[in-house]
Amino acid sequence: MEGVEEVVIVGGGICGMATAVALKRYGIEAVVLERAESLRTTGAALTLASNAWLALDALGVSHKLNPLYSALTKSVITNLITGAVQQVPFPPTKRGQVGPKTVHRKALLEALVEELPMENIRFSCKITSISTELDTQGSSIAILQMEDGSTIKSKVLIGCDGVHSRVARFLGLGEPVNSGRSGLRGLSVFPQGHGYDHHAFRFTLAGFNGGFVPISKTELYWFLVHGESTDPGHQDITAETPPELIQRYVIEHYCKDFPPVYLDVVNHLDVSTLTWAPLKLRLPWNVIFGNLSKGTITVAGDAMHPMTPDLAQGGCCALEDAVVLGRCIGDTYLKNGQQLVSSEVAKAIDDYVKARRWRVAGVITASFISGWVQDGSTWLKRLVRDAVYYRFFPQYASNVINYDCGSLPRRSSSAESNSKQD
């Protein structure tokens, strides 16, 4: 069986759905291929800074989420070695912008999916290979071989398929590398209320960086990052390990030197939301000099720029990608009489790559450095942290979170046409 599509997006996570929404604003119907059997809601929650809220506003969905969550006001950082407590206000946002808010990943994904025709989202779609061919007009067509034996051809192929992206491999991008740290995250639930102010609470210890952030009056987003060299025994934990055993392992081995308030949060963990994975990143020079596109094939989100979570910018940058890529393709679509002309789309994708390459390479670098210095486990880290990081980083962080990726049409061209006929 063979099908031919205008645009295929590989990956039905936040980036994939957001890209489909951005294209739909121009009247372009993209097909989203998701390997899972249903919407992927793993990851529990994510913090969205002002740049993400500007992207969500461009996508037309921020109004669904913004009223549900409160902005974080500051970060309260406790050094468990010295006992020092530092209160760091979040970088100021520009007038009218939304400050950082931690939201449920599921709520964000569902807000995006509501904007799309469900028939355009195909589940249980696993790709076995990607190739290209020329059509009768000499334009390149992407060919996807599926696990069920079917073939899908597409004029435009966008890989939003995560850290281990098959599309990125097709483009020849260097594989993501291990950061030397692993991360745990999940939701902790207090049915009677947790009583914490709306701050980000963090605790640093040699080799460890943990914390929690209120989402609602009863839920906290909980996380712990640890250096893999600090605990060789964690290698015994696998994807098949029951989450209850992982929780017990964390309490017994990691939390013994953390304060009771942190241990209490871990004890209230909803184990169904727990994830544990090595933290990977794409080397920034692979982003700067690598092939982020080939003709009408490109990548976005973690497929382009996996990064450590220390700046909470992975999801934010993915939403930016969606808006910029959707606008680049959408503008050329309208310019060519609502048609996708391969040569013009290839130029549009080149423009997208130029707009994103240096931006995300910088965020990858800053995020890694931020995580590297935070635990202060060596004299060099403490020197960089105290002499450089704390002095100059706030201004850079302000520039990152106040970035505006631009606008999109508020309604698709097809919707406008229909309303005029009515």
Side-chain angles (χ1 to χ4, degrees):
M1 185 174 68
E2 180 178 293
V4 180
E5 306 293 345
E6 291 280 282
V7 180
V8 168
I9 297 171
V10 182
I14 289 171
C15 185
M17 296 301 184
T19 303
V21 172
L23 291 171
K24 190 172 183 294
R25 292 285 174 256
Y26 288 88
I28 303 171
E29 298 287 344
V31 171
V32 179
L33 305 181
E34 168 54 43
R35 63 181 289 116
E37 297 178 356
S38 59
L39 288 179
R40 289 184 287 124
T41 56
T42 57
L46 72 165
T47 298
L48 301 178
S50 296
N51 56 321
W53 289 105
L54 287 169
L56 290 173
D57 186 55
L59 293 166
V61 299
S62 62
H63 67 282
K64 301 179 185 180
L65 299 166
N66 196 5
L68 304 179
Y69 302 95
S70 298
L72 300 171
T73 56
K74 61 184 176 181
S75 182
V76 181
I77 307 170
T78 303
N79 186 318
L80 297 179
I81 298 176
T82 65
V85 178
Q86 184 179 22
Q87 300 194 27
V88 182
F90 284 105
T93 59
K94 293 182 179 179
R95 185 176 181 181
Q97 293 186 7
V98 179
K101 296 185 177 187
T102 301
V103 307
H104 295 90
R105 184 176 292 269
K106 181 180 180 181
L108 173 55
L109 189 58
E110 290 177 344
L112 293 166
V113 170
E114 287 172 359
E115 302 294 309
L116 301 170
M118 283 305 298
E119 62 268 21
N120 287 1
I121 304 173
R122 303 178 188 175
F123 297 103
S124 300
C125 290
K126 299 178 181 180
I127 299 171
T128 59
S129 69
I130 302 172
S131 60
T132 58
E133 68 176 15
L134 297 180
D135 63 13
T136 55
Q137 284 77 42
S139 299
S140 181
I141 298 292
I143 306 172
L144 307 179
Q145 299 293 337
M146 312 304 293
E147 189 177 65
D148 62 4
S150 63
T151 301
I152 299 176
K153 295 184 177 182
S154 180
K155 289 183 178 181
V156 182
L157 178 63
I158 303 169
C160 301
D161 45 342
V163 176
H164 304 292
S165 168
R166 185 176 286 273
V167 180
R169 290 196 189 104
F170 171 79
L171 292 174
L173 277 174
E175 288 291 316
V177 300
N178 200 327
S179 69
R181 296 182 296 152
S182 292
L184 299 99
R185 63 194 73 184
L187 291 181
S188 293
V189 181
F190 293 75
Q192 305 305 316
H194 51 69
Y196 290 102
D197 292 329
H198 227 73
H199 309 324
F201 297 89
R202 288 178 48 204
F203 305 90
T204 63
L205 188 66
F208 294 90
N209 185 357
F212 55 87
V213 183
I215 302 179
S216 66
K217 293 181 179 180
T218 59
E219 291 179 301
L220 296 167
Y221 176 48
W222 166 86
F223 63 90
L224 177 67
V225 175
H226 67 91
E228 294 177 348
S229 61
T230 61
D231 179 26
H234 84 278
Q235 296 175 4
D236 297 331
I237 303 294
T238 68
E240 288 71 38
T241 303
E244 294 84 356
L245 295 183
I246 298 178
Q247 180 190 30
R248 186 190 309 168
Y249 185 90
V250 170
I251 292 172
E252 293 176 353
H253 292 80
Y254 293 166
C255 294
K256 59 182 183 297
D257 295 321
F258 277 69
V261 291
Y262 188 78
L263 182 60
D264 184 47
V265 171
V266 179
N267 275 316
H268 280 79
L269 176 68
D270 176 357
V271 294
S272 69
T273 68
L274 179 64
T275 60
W276 187 350
L279 301 178
K280 294 183 177 292
L281 68 151
R282 195 177 304 286
L283 295 173
W285 46 89
N286 284 341
V287 175
I288 295 171
F289 301 109
N291 295 322
L292 301 182
S293 66
K294 180 181 179 181
T296 58
I297 301 174
T298 192
V299 285
D302 281 348
M304 177 193 284
H305 47 70
M307 64 183 71
T308 59
D310 305 285
L311 293 185
Q313 277 291 311
C316 299
C317 285
L319 291 169
E320 291 178 10
D321 292 343
V323 173
V324 176
L325 180 55
R327 182 170 59 247
C328 288
I329 295 176
D331 285 347
T332 192
Y333 172 78
L334 296 182
K335 186 176 71 174
N336 287 281
Q338 298 187 354
Q339 294 185 62
L340 290 174
V341 179
S342 294
S343 59
E344 295 297 319
V345 173
K347 292 177 183 177
I349 288 177
D350 283 343
D351 291 339
Y352 155 74
V353 168
K354 291 175 184 176
R356 301 302 296 160
R357 193 189 295 273
W358 286 95
R359 159 81 175 163
V360 297
V363 178
I364 290 172
T365 304
S367 186
F368 177 79
I369 292 174
S370 179
W372 183 78
V373 304
Q374 283 303 300
D375 63 45
S377 57
T378 67
W379 69 268
L380 178 60
K381 290 182 179 181
R382 291 191 293 272
L383 176 64
V384 174
R385 181 192 64 191
D386 299 337
V388 180
Y389 181 81
Y390 286 152
R391 290 182 60 189
F392 301 106
F393 186 76
Q395 180 57 51
Y396 176 80
S398 179
N399 293 336
V400 168
I401 70 169
N402 284 303
Y403 181 83
D404 187 348
C405 60
S407 62
L408 295 169
R410 301 308 297 177
R411 304 177 67 192
S412 71
S413 57
S414 58
E416 291 173 355
S417 176
N418 291 337
S419 66
K420 288 177 181 179
Q421 292 177 4
D422 293 341

